[in-house]
Amino acid sequence: MTTRPCDGCGEDVSIAGGIANIWTREKRTTDGLALELADGSDHFLCYDCIERLPDEREPTADDVADL
C-alpha cells in the first residue's frame, strides 16, 4: 500500500493496488481520486475534500486552494 498527499488538506491518502501489495492479501481501497477540474487543473483529493467542493458550479483550482 502506498500513499499520496491530498492536494486539498495535505493528509496522506492510501492508494491501493499495483506492485505495493502484491505479496500480501491486503485488500484496502483507494481513499481518493485524481480529478481534472473545469479550469484544466489536475488534483488528487481525498473523498472528504471532494465532498467539500462547491456543488452549485464547476470547481476550479481556487476552490482546492480554499480547502
Side-chain angles (χ1 to χ4, degrees):
M1 181 66 60
T2 188
T3 62
R4 179 176 174 181
C6 172
D7 292 341
C9 65
E11 294 292 319
D12 281 339
V13 178
S14 65
I15 301 172
I19 196 79
N21 57 353
I22 194 168
W23 300 112
T24 69
R25 295 179 188 261
E26 186 176 353
K27 298 209 183 335
R28 293 186 56 190
T29 60
T30 299
D31 295 327
L33 293 173
L35 302 174
E36 182 176 340
L37 302 181
D39 60 0
S41 63
D42 295 315
H43 301 277
F44 181 78
L45 298 173
C46 67
Y47 292 131
D48 289 338
C49 285
I50 292 171
E51 288 293 319
R52 294 180 8 215
L53 290 173
D55 290 331
E56 65 278 357
R57 60 182 169 73
E58 292 289 325
T60 64
D62 290 336
D63 295 314
V64 173
D66 290 342
L67 295 174

